[in-house]
Amino acid sequence: METIGDRIKLARKKCGYTQETLAKTLYFSDKAISSWENNRTKPDIKSLCVLSETLNTTIDYLLYGNKTKEKDEIELKIRVTDDEYLRILNDVKVNSSFIEKIKQIDEYFIMNKKNSWLRIRESKNNITLSLKRKIKDNNYSKDTVSIDNRQSMLEILTFLGYKSLGIINKERITYKYLNNFIISFDKVTELGNFIEFKSINDENNSYEKIISVCKYFSVNLENIETKKYIELKSHL
């Protein structure tokens, strides 16, 4: 079965690179290239962006080959400065449809399974319970239900053995761009400013499309953040 390491190796050879010359070109170590090609580790989304451009291929090919991937949620989150936040927000306003501006309180709970997040979100008069699971790389599936009483749900979760991991407070401004993308501007208490790009309503979701939107708005892809807010907060 072909792996991401096999595809990186094949694309590298087609472009005439050795592991050493590719590493020098990308300012990576040749050990990193070797580790990816031998499937000991996987490149993160930042590295995939650079690899795909240098090897004249696409992120989706490196991740999935020629197979069709599951229809699920694809998102990228970028850490931005105050100036970048305002500049990109003003640019998005001109090209997009405003959805909402809200404050959100997210409480996360410790999960036994890796790459899974259980969360109660409170915003305006709406309270939801969500289970989000990582499918692969930056692809996620999410199930959400509305709940009437936050305290009752907390008591149920406590009874079932779930312990609180922490609370994230943020102010979010959301726009819809080209009917296929949601762009959210987050001001997160203690963590700073972030912009999240998410694809919607498109059976042909791809990283390439999200990356192209990021580039259109001159977003610095060097600042892609792969950790969830609760994970970032736990490292403070």
Side-chain angles (χ1 to χ4, degrees):
M1 181 178 177
E2 189 182 62
T3 65
I4 184 173
D6 296 330
R7 290 188 287 273
I8 292 172
K9 184 176 182 179
L10 179 62
R12 170 178 63 76
K13 288 186 173 182
K14 281 185 177 180
C15 290
Y17 288 106
T18 64
Q19 287 185 352
E20 184 177 6
T21 56
L22 178 60
K24 288 181 178 179
T25 300
L26 301 179
Y27 299 100
F28 293 149
S29 70
D30 52 352
K31 289 183 179 179
I33 305 296
S34 175
S35 182
W36 295 338
E37 292 187 358
N38 288 285
N39 296 295
R40 291 191 293 271
T41 59
K42 289 184 179 181
D44 59 22
I45 192 64
K46 297 178 186 178
S47 302
L48 285 168
C49 290
V50 179
L51 275 172
S52 63
E53 291 185 1
T54 303
L55 299 179
N56 194 30
T57 185
T58 67
I59 298 172
D60 294 279
Y61 167 73
L62 294 177
L63 287 173
Y64 308 107
N66 295 319
K67 297 179 181 179
T68 301
K69 59 184 180 299
E70 297 98 337
K71 183 183 178 183
D72 45 44
E73 191 175 85
I74 303 176
E75 62 183 38
L76 283 183
K77 183 163 69 241
I78 318 288
R79 184 187 289 273
V80 293
T81 65
D82 290 342
D83 289 342
E84 289 173 323
Y85 179 96
L86 291 173
R87 174 183 63 79
I88 298 168
L89 175 59
N90 288 330
D91 288 343
V92 168
K93 284 180 180 178
V94 176
N95 295 278
S96 310
S97 301
F98 174 76
I99 297 178
E100 63 181 354
K101 179 178 180 180
I102 57 174
K103 291 184 178 180
Q104 296 177 334
I105 302 173
D106 295 339
E107 183 168 4
Y108 289 82
F109 297 85
I110 297 172
M111 298 285 288
N112 292 326
K113 292 185 178 180
K114 291 184 177 180
N115 298 321
S116 297
W117 297 268
L118 184 64
R119 178 196 71 199
I120 291 179
R121 167 169 289 174
E122 188 172 350
S123 58
K124 293 184 179 179
N125 297 319
N126 187 36
I127 306 173
T128 58
L129 176 70
S130 296
L131 174 62
K132 193 169 187 177
R133 289 159 290 182
K134 187 174 183 179
I135 305 300
K136 60 180 78 172
D137 304 296
N138 275 37
N139 287 55
Y140 301 89
S141 67
K142 184 167 70 173
D143 296 293
T144 301
V145 294
S146 295
I147 57 178
D148 296 325
N149 189 300
R150 177 190 179 92
Q151 186 58 40
S152 294
M153 179 55 66
L154 286 172
E155 291 177 6
I156 292 171
L157 292 176
T158 300
F159 177 79
L160 293 174
Y162 291 99
K163 295 182 178 179
S164 178
L165 185 59
I167 295 176
I168 295 294
N169 287 278
K170 67 176 180 284
E171 182 179 88
R172 167 168 285 188
I173 305 173
T174 306
Y175 289 85
K176 179 182 285 188
Y177 176 65
L178 295 180
N179 292 320
N180 288 326
F181 302 93
I182 294 293
I183 305 177
S184 298
F185 294 80
D186 291 345
K187 285 187 173 292
V188 187
T189 302
E190 299 182 76
L191 297 179
N193 303 323
F194 300 83
I195 303 177
E196 183 178 277
F197 295 82
K198 184 182 297 184
S199 61
I200 58 171
N201 301 329
D202 188 352
E203 294 183 357
N204 298 309
N205 287 344
S206 74
Y207 288 99
E208 303 303 322
K209 291 180 180 179
I210 293 182
I211 294 297
S212 67
V213 173
C214 291
K215 289 181 176 179
Y216 177 80
F217 289 110
S218 301
V219 177
N220 185 356
L221 295 175
E222 292 296 316
N223 294 324
I224 291 174
E225 183 53 70
T226 57
K227 291 184 173 62
K228 298 296 180 186
Y229 292 138
I230 194 65
E231 295 168 336
L232 292 173
K233 186 175 181 179
S234 67
H235 288 88
L236 290 178

